[in-house]
């Protein structure tokens, strides 16, 4: 493998790209200019091979997933992000839904006896659902099922909740952490650049605010993820700037687990005039992310948005994680035009997808502790066991 990649780098005619290849091979950090060059000048086959080499250095063939489910407390939102196909403006709240704590506990109870390890809680920003409401929800979930890892609330939801409660970020996070919040998902990051942000989501927390919330969470000992919404008004420079800010924070705190590029989907929102990116561009984003974010342990493809087949493809372009079974009422992506209309895969299906592209499926918990390796497991045998369906 080392010989193959060395030969590929040696055969590279573009001097700058060849130098990048050599740096990757020597585990040296890429500069912003080099990251940019990968976007502007690198053929997909070249950047993909480098990213795949890096991925295999870090994780071999292992491809992680977890058994999780989502809860969306509400789709009513006070904000008005132009790319959002999902929320109902607060002014039209009667068209949306709001779940009570009991209704959300009922969702948790549906998983009694099932080996899920994580609940992912994320939704719109509803003024009535305040810090006390969510602290109560967390306590009740933990009291009912203490072993369930709660990954919840984007920095957007947290920023609004804490400001309403007149608490600092540290104080607010401490309240939620003590009530049972274990880690933060990566949503709400979009693109940190202020000008692009003003065009696509002018009224929610800005880039600095997003980073400050994740930094504070890391300092409290919580882990988190980071996303990047790409394929709209942003330039390559904006993507590199976004990843550079994440890389700097990660150097400081080491609190990020996973980076998740999110492809902009253009149905049913106010940015429908923007054409979606090609699969080639998508794979390039994953590959550059793998190479640029040298201090992020994991790169995740969120299959409900990309579709299962493209998610399989990312496993050769730097990705080593496919999120989870999800089992959702999640409407964010289906409403935005993703291929996956009802996002839910059984463990058997996920293991099958990963094995089909000759990778090694590994079930993990939220913090990437390995639960079960399915390398030599026959999916047909697994399929007859109700615990995997
Ligand atoms: O921040 C909204 C995105 C995000 C669209 O941390 C859209 O494990 C594309 O962050 N096209 C929320 N994307 C979801 C999210 C997430 C999902 C799964 C796992 C994790 C994790 C995090 O959804 C938002 C926004 O960037 N989004 N609308 C759209 N039209
Ligand atoms: Fe609200 Fe999130 Fe949709 Fe923005 S993306 S409008 S914050 S639900």
């Amino acid at each position: 493998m080392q010989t193959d990649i060395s030969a590929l780098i040696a055969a590279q005619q573009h001097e700058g790209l060849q130098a990048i290849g050599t740096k990757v091979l020597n585990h040296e950090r890429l500069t912003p200019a080099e990251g940019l060059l990968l976007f502007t000048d690198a053929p997909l086959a070249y950047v993909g091979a480098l990213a795949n080499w890096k991925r295999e250095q870090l994780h071999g063939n292992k491809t992680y997933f977890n058994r999780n489910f989502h809860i969306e407390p509400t789709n009513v939102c006070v904000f008005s992000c132009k790319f959002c196909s999902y929320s109902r403006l607060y002014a039209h709240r009667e068209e949306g839904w709001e779940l009570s704590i009991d209704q959300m506990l009922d969702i948790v109870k549906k998983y009694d006896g099932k080996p899920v390890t994580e609940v992912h809680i994320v939704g719109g920003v509803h003024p009535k659902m305040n810090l006390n409401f969510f602290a109560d929800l967390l306590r009740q979930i933990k009291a009912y099922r203490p072993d369930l890892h709660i990954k919840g609330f984007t920095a957007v939801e947290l920023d609004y909740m804490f400001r309403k409660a007149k608490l600092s970020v540290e104080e607010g996070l401490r309240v939620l952490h003590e009530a049972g919040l274990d880690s933060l998902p990566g949503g709400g990051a979009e693109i940190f650049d202020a000008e692009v942000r003003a065009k696509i989501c002018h009224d929610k927390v800005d880039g600095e605010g997003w980073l400050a919330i994740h930094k504070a969470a890391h300092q409290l000992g919580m882990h988190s993820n980071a996303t990047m919404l790409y394929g709209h008004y942003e330039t390559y420079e904006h993507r590199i700037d976004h990843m550079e800010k994440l890389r700097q924070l990660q150097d400081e705190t080491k609190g990020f687990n996973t980076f998740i590029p999110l492809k902009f989907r253009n149905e049913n929102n106010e940015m429908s005039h923007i054409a979606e990116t090609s699969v080639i561009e998508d794979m390039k984003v994953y590959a550059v992310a793998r190479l640029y974010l040298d201090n992020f342990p994991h790169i995740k493809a969120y299959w409900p948005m990309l579709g299962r087949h493209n998610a399989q493809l990312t496993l050769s372009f730097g990705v080593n994680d496919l999120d989870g079974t999800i089992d959702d009422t999640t409407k964010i992506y289906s409403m935005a035009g993703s291929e996956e209309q009802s996002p839910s895969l059984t463990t058997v299906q996920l293991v099958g997808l990963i094995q089909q592209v000759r990778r090694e499926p590994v079930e993990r918990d939220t913090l990437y502790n390995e639960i079960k390796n399915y390398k030599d497991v026959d999916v047909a045998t697994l399929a007859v066991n109700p615990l995997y369906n």
Side-chain angles (χ1 to χ4, degrees):
M1 205 60 188
Q2 184 87 9
T3 335
D4 290 353
I5 196 79
S6 302
L8 185 87
I9 294 166
Q12 175 54 246
Q13 300 290 303
H14 186 304
E15 248 179 61
L17 293 179
Q18 191 182 66
I20 291 175
T22 307
K23 278 180 101 172
V24 170
L25 214 58
N26 293 329
H27 303 285
E28 287 170 41
R29 176 162 279 195
L30 302 185
T31 64
E34 288 165 337
L36 197 57
L37 196 67
L38 287 175
F39 274 126
T40 55
D41 285 36
L44 176 63
Y46 185 70
V47 67
L50 292 178
N52 191 49
W53 180 83
K54 183 83 192 167
R55 176 248 204 257
E56 290 181 357
Q57 287 286 304
L58 290 168
H59 305 288
N61 266 332
K62 285 184 179 175
T63 299
Y64 294 99
F65 68 95
N66 71 351
R67 296 219 240 174
N68 64 349
F69 63 100
H70 284 207
I71 296 180
E72 294 166 44
T74 179
N75 70 341
V76 171
C77 191
V78 294
F79 297 121
S80 48
C81 307
K82 300 239 181 323
F83 54 80
C84 184
S85 325
Y86 153 84
S87 72
R88 288 283 161 277
L89 280 176
Y90 185 65
H92 304 286
R93 56 191 176 279
E94 67 291 342
E95 294 166 15
W97 79 81
E98 292 167 36
L99 301 183
S100 66
I101 290 186
D102 283 345
Q103 285 171 315
M104 290 191 261
L105 266 181
D106 283 343
I107 298 178
V108 176
K109 288 176 187 166
K110 263 181 42 193
Y111 294 88
D112 283 356
K114 294 194 181 161
V116 289
T117 55
E118 172 193 280
V119 55
H120 179 158
I121 306 177
V122 69
V125 177
H126 193 301
K128 260 187 14 209
M129 293 179 167
N130 59 19
L131 185 72
N132 288 337
F133 174 86
F134 283 121
D136 225 16
L137 171 71
L138 295 166
R139 274 185 224 107
Q140 294 202 38
I141 294 177
K142 280 287 175 188
Y144 187 76
R145 193 159 172 176
D147 59 314
L148 197 62
H149 181 108
I150 307 181
K151 179 179 77 176
F153 313 120
T154 64
V156 176
E157 294 165 272
L158 295 173
D159 171 69
Y160 184 86
M161 241 186 261
F162 300 160
R163 279 190 292 115
K164 271 210 109 174
K166 298 199 173 17
L167 292 181
S168 69
V169 168
E170 290 70 20
E171 289 165 338
L173 277 172
R174 213 176 275 282
V175 171
L176 294 179
H177 190 38
E178 281 169 14
L181 184 65
D182 295 301
S183 64
L184 307 188
E190 321 313 357
I191 277 281
F192 293 141
D193 178 79
E195 275 178 37
V196 181
R197 230 177 154 79
K199 272 195 197 167
I200 65 172
C201 55
H202 71 282
D203 52 0
K204 70 184 184 189
V205 67
D206 61 13
E208 285 75 41
W210 189 98
L211 288 160
I213 288 175
H214 282 255
K215 181 174 177 174
H218 298 169
Q219 285 167 342
L220 277 178
M222 298 161 83
H223 283 268
S224 73
N225 293 335
T227 57
M228 175 175 78
L229 182 73
Y230 71 90
H232 42 90
Y233 297 110
E234 90 290 359
T235 60
Y236 293 143
E237 280 87 351
H238 293 137
R239 291 182 193 168
I240 293 295
D241 169 69
H242 189 91
M243 290 193 262
E244 176 59 25
K245 290 191 165 100
L246 291 172
R247 193 167 76 171
Q248 284 177 14
L249 179 54
Q250 178 75 334
D251 275 344
E252 226 181 302
T253 63
K254 306 198 173 26
F256 287 116
N257 279 333
T258 316
F259 180 64
I260 315 160
L262 295 171
K263 172 193 178 88
F264 165 65
R265 307 301 307 238
N266 69 4
E267 280 180 28
N268 303 318
N269 56 50
E270 289 179 55
M271 285 164 49
S272 294
H273 55 285
I274 299 179
E276 290 182 359
T277 48
S278 68
V279 177
I280 291 178
E281 186 65 20
D282 297 334
M283 295 307 131
K284 223 169 171 186
V285 172
Y286 286 99
V288 174
R290 178 59 288 166
L291 296 171
Y292 199 79
L293 293 174
D294 54 2
N295 53 5
F296 270 63
H298 307 285
I299 307 290
K300 185 197 280 192
Y302 189 54
W303 62 261
M305 176 177 15
L306 270 183
R308 299 163 200 208
H309 296 119
N310 288 342
Q312 281 179 313
L313 197 57
T314 64
L315 299 182
S316 297
F317 290 88
V319 168
N320 68 292
D321 189 297
L322 284 191
D323 200 90
T325 44
I326 297 179
D327 201 2
D328 196 358
T329 48
T330 291
K331 287 157 194 88
I332 298 186
Y333 298 109
S334 49
M335 291 169 85
S338 106
E339 281 93 291
E340 303 292 339
Q341 293 307 313
S342 100
S344 178
L345 283 177
T346 64
T347 308
V348 173
Q349 287 172 312
L350 253 180
V351 167
L353 280 179
I354 297 167
Q355 283 183 348
Q356 198 180 32
V357 290
R358 290 172 215 256
R359 297 290 186 183
E360 184 181 325
V362 178
E363 184 183 341
R364 58 160 177 89
D365 66 13
T366 311
L367 303 177
Y368 290 83
N369 298 301
E370 293 190 9
I371 294 178
K372 182 175 163 78
N373 191 315
Y374 294 75
K375 185 175 172 211
D376 300 315
V377 173
D378 174 21
V379 275
T381 317
L382 209 60
V384 295
N385 186 338
L387 282 181
Y388 297 98
N389 282 292

